[in-house]
Amino acid sequence: MIGTIIGDIVGSRFEFANHRSKYFDLFTIECDFTDDTIMTMAVADALQKGKRFDRAFREFGKQYNRPMGGYGASFRQWLDTPGMPAYYSFGNGAAMRVSPVALRFKGKPLDDCLAMAEKTAVVTHNHPEGIKGARCVAHLIWAAFNGATTKLAMFDIASKYYEEINGRSVDEIRQDNIFDESCQVTVPQAIVCFLEASSFEDAIRNAVSIGGDSDTIAAITGGIAEAFFGVPFDLQAQARRYLTPEFINILNREYNG
């Protein structure tokens, strides 16, 4: 979860101004949390309080109404329309907000984790690709928390969802990547950024360097990389400086019980 948030904050300033290099300052005054962090927090809060996910998303969307980068147009309409059903989205919002599920279900059955991941998706992202993105990311994070200690094990899991991760490398993606908010494009890209990384920080740098939807790719990558590599304390401390007291309380409850 904190890995997702770090990826979002670091990538935030590059979402609409891509940086095609791994060399940049991670945290600057131009960074902030975006809708990725807000909705990740909403999932965590819902799990902590036994709240419906649609209610949590709308509550947090109302409270944090104008985040850096804004909300996607369709999600914005859903937030502002009480009672509006899911809108068959295959956007990457389903994948970027799911990390708290895998953290909460660490040590519990995988099937229960995946079922909950799907529940977080279908209230908005009920397209098969949206559901698959959420389940895949949750599965990878759960696996890393529960004994998948090699990149080969992680690759084997990911390839069952997305055959294309065996295709282009980070260097190849970086050459011509364009902005795309779909799960079917960005989730495989995020997985490749993780698989080619040597550390948590290296994974985030990979994710930013390929361009495209930088904050969300980095958020998805960060959630997976956290579970596999762990997150250096100094990066956690720097990220927390951007968060509201409410968000810090949610994080503390999730990690400290």
Side-chain angles (χ1 to χ4, degrees), residues 1 5 40-53 56 60 99-101 103-105 108 116 120 240 245-257:
M1 183 175 166
I5 292 163
T40 298
M41 291 293 184
V43 169
D45 191 62
L47 289 169
Q48 290 171 6
K49 298 177 180 177
K51 191 186 304 181
R52 283 173 35 176
F53 292 115
F60 277 69
S99 59
V101 172
L103 179 60
R104 176 59 62 99
F105 280 81
K108 298 179 181 178
M116 187 62 73
T120 69
R240 281 172 172 259
E246 179 181 28
F247 288 173
I248 290 172
N249 286 337
I250 292 170
L251 270 179
N252 289 343
R253 287 198 301 267
E254 202 60 45
Y255 284 95
N256 302 329

Side-chain angles (χ1 to χ4, degrees), residues 59-162:
E59 285 179 352
F60 277 69
K62 182 178 180 179
Q63 183 171 352
Y64 301 95
N65 192 43
R66 297 186 181 278
M68 182 176 183
Y71 293 104
S74 296
F75 188 70
R76 170 93 267 174
Q77 182 182 11
W78 182 87
L79 284 176
D80 293 340
T81 310
M84 180 177 168
Y87 49 93
Y88 206 56
S89 174
F90 49 77
N92 53 24
M96 60 77 170
R97 68 194 184 202
V98 78
S99 59
V101 172
L103 179 60
R104 176 59 62 99
F105 280 81
K106 180 171 62 174
K108 298 179 181 178
L110 172 62
D111 287 348
D112 293 348
C113 175
L114 297 183
M116 187 62 73
E118 185 165 335
K119 288 181 181 179
T120 69
V122 296
V123 293
T124 51
H125 294 60
N126 56 336
H127 188 284
E129 291 291 343
I131 295 168
K132 182 170 77 170
R135 287 174 64 94
C136 177
V137 174
H139 192 161
L140 287 168
I141 297 172
W142 180 94
F145 278 140
N146 288 277
T149 58
T150 68
K151 294 282 188 65
L152 179 59
M154 297 291 277
F155 172 83
D156 286 344
I157 293 167
S159 62
K160 290 179 173 65
Y161 291 89
Y162 297 104

Side-chain angles (χ1 to χ4, degrees), residues 210-229:
I210 65 170
D213 191 3
S214 294
D215 63 322
T216 302
I217 295 171
I220 296 168
T221 302
I224 301 168
E226 172 192 357
F228 191 86
F229 294 114

Side-chain angles (χ1 to χ4, degrees), residues 4 8 34-41 96-97 215-216 219:
T4 298
D8 177 42
T34 78
D35 60 316
D36 296 19
T37 291
I38 296 167
M39 290 301 132
T40 298
M41 291 293 184
M96 60 77 170
R97 68 194 184 202
D215 63 322
T216 302

